[in-house]
């Protein structure tokens, strides 16, 4: 079997997006548009990939900086799809396998569909195979002109088509597999003598036919797969399809999603079996959730690692945090980046955390801010506790050792260390270290003036 390389066209600006950001970097399902065809090409076995970049090339390259199998070809002027493919020649110099050509703005194509197209291409010994579908309304697409027996004769752009040709319902998806030798030879000899004055990649079909080489169509039923994204209405439509696929994949793998229509999970997220996701939940980025968890309604989770049997209660928001097993968070808790909670921890309502380590079995049940702190095991943080971590210039750390009981309404003015098993009385402002096994109390003694109210009234 010959090797497969992919060329992904992504040099266009995407004028109809009306955006400062190049079209192929607009996010959908948690990844830029162009990352989806790249993923599908990889799934179909493309060992090497060349991305043709033009508009905002640096930004596109930056996104893929760590993809070793991907290289870039610059197309400085967007002279057409044929010219774009020609720009990839140098990056594939010496390659003589099959080139899979994809568009950066056609995100819904599946890896398995590309594999099936490649298999057909090989089985029929074709030089060129074009992926097509039949549309009720083919407006705007290139039409596929065939001869009896199924050979493709040519592809004609709508703007160049005769009235008869415009009646053809079979359209060019812009996705092809082509033998490399023929491809780069053909794109080098294109002309731009057409309605748009562009070097059309589609003209290589005519060249194949003229040279007596076999060009075939691989037609698919699901028009969604070849849907192009040109504006933000189509971006949202593609997002709906991607979301449905992600949710269905998770459900079939053992996650319960109570209301898939209101559940937004990125393609990058992993979730274990028997975890239940309630309505209106958003889970994004590099999040991994374990087994048997419950994610209650209206929770937002980004870039978090959550162990098994964790409950995240309604309305909680968490970013860049790790949560140990059987821990409970919320309702309405806010875990900010670098929060690391151990197992069997409890974080209750209106608790905000940032850059903290909290050991196994510790609790902070109500109305608290914990930032820049190391908290040991079995610590109880009372209601209304504040780590005063910021002196206006620098951040300082609070250390609370194992077994400490922090009473309600305590301020810990960092840097400060509370020794193990100590107790801090309610209302205390802690300004210096507390040795282990101590009681710390700092509040003015209460005075009761008996009968004071009666005298006032007299
Ligand atoms: C193209 C096809 C058309 C097909 C349609 C499917 C041609 C001539 N026509 O038309 O038959 O039905 O796709 O969506 O190929 N690009 C570059 N450099 C360029 C021009 C385009 O990188 O110079 C990239 C774009 O960024 C885009 C892709 O190629 O990702 C397709 O280009 P576009 O101009 O949208 O092609 P269509 O006119 O839609
Ligand atoms: Ca065009």
């Amino acid at each position: 079997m010959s090797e497969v390389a992919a060329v992904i066209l992504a040099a266009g600006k995407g004028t109809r997006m009306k955006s400062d950001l190049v079209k192929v970097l607009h996010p959908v399902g948690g990844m830029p548009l162009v990352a989806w065809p790249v993923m599908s090409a990889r799934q179909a076995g493309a060992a090497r990939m060349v991305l043709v970049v033009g508009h905002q090339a640096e930004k596109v390259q930056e996104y893929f900086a760590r993809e070793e199998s991907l290289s870039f070809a610059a197309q400085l002027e967007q002279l057409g799809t044929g010219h774009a493919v020609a720009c990839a020649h140098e990056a594939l110099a010496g390659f003589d396998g099959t080139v899979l050509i994809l568009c950066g703005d056609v995100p819904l194509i599946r890896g398995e569909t590309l594999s099936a197209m490649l298999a057909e291409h090989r089985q029929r010994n074709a030089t060129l195979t074009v992926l097509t579908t039949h549309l009720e309304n083919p407006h705007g697409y290139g039409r596929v002109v065939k001869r009896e027996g199924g050979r493709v004769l040519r592809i004609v752009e709508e703007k160049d088509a005769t009235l008869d040709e415009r009646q053809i319902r079979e359209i060019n998806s812009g996705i092809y597999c082509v033998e490399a030798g023929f491809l780069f030879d053909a794109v080098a000899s294109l002309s731009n003598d057409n309605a748009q004055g562009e070097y059309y990649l589609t003209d290589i079909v005519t060249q194949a036919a003229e040279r007596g080489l076999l060009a075939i169509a691989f037609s698919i039923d699901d028009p969604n797969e070849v849907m192009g994204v040109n504006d933000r209405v189509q971006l949202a439509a593609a997002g709906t399809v991607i979301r449905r696929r992600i949710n269905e994949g998770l459900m079939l793998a053992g996650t319960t999603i109570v209301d898939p229509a209101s559940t937004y999970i990125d393609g990058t997220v992993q979730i274990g079996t028997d975890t239940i996701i309630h309505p209106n939940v958003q889970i994004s980025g590099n999040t991994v959730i374990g087994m048997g968890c419950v994610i209650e309604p209206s929770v937002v989770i980004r870039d978090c690692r959550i162990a098994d049997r964790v409950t995240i209660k309604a309305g909680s928001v968490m970013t860049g945090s790790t949560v140990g097993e059987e821990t409970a968070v919320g309702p309405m808790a806010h875990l900010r980046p670098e929060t690391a909670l151990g197992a069997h921890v409890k974080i209750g309502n209106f608790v905000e955390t940032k850059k903290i380590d909290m050991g196994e079995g510790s609790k902070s049940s109500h109305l608290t801010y914990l930032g820049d702190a190391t908290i040991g095991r079995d610590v109880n943080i009372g209601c209304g506790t504040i780590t005063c971590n910021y002196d206006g210039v620098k951040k300082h750390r609070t250390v609370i050792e194992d077994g400490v009981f922090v009473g309600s309404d305590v301020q810990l003015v960092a840097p400060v260390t509370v020794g193990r098993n100590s107790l801090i009385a309610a209302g205390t402002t802690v300004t210096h270290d507390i040795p282990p096994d101590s009681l710390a109390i700092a509040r003015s003694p209460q005075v009761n003036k008996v009968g004071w109210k009666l005298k006032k009234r007299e």
Side-chain angles (χ1 to χ4, degrees), residues 50 121 169 206 226 328 409 428 449:
V50 181
H121 177 79
R169 294 263 169 84
T206 320
V226 299
D409 190 28
T428 294
K449 300 194 174 174

Side-chain angles (χ1 to χ4, degrees), residues 49-67:
M49 292 183 266
V50 181
L51 205 58
V52 180
V53 291
H55 283 278
Q56 296 181 15
E58 323 73 49
K59 275 195 188 163
V60 178
Q61 282 177 247
E62 201 183 299
Y63 176 80
F64 289 106
R66 275 185 284 166
E67 293 266 354

Side-chain angles (χ1 to χ4, degrees), residues 14 64 79 92 105 132 163 194 204 224 237 256 277 322 330 335 400 405 440 458:
F64 289 106
L79 302 178
L92 287 177
D105 60 356
T132 68
L163 278 177
N194 53 51
I204 67 172
N224 272 337
T256 293
I277 316 278
T322 61
L335 307 192
I400 303 174
F405 184 97
E458 273 161 18

Side-chain angles (χ1 to χ4, degrees), residues 8 10 24-25 32-39 42 51 53 58-72:
I8 298 145
V24 293
L25 288 184
L33 259 180
V34 64
W36 291 94
V38 166
M39 190 174 76
R42 191 185 298 113
L51 205 58
V53 291
E58 323 73 49
K59 275 195 188 163
V60 178
Q61 282 177 247
E62 201 183 299
Y63 176 80
F64 289 106
R66 275 185 284 166
E67 293 266 354
E68 280 176 11
S69 53
L70 197 78
S71 60
F72 302 93

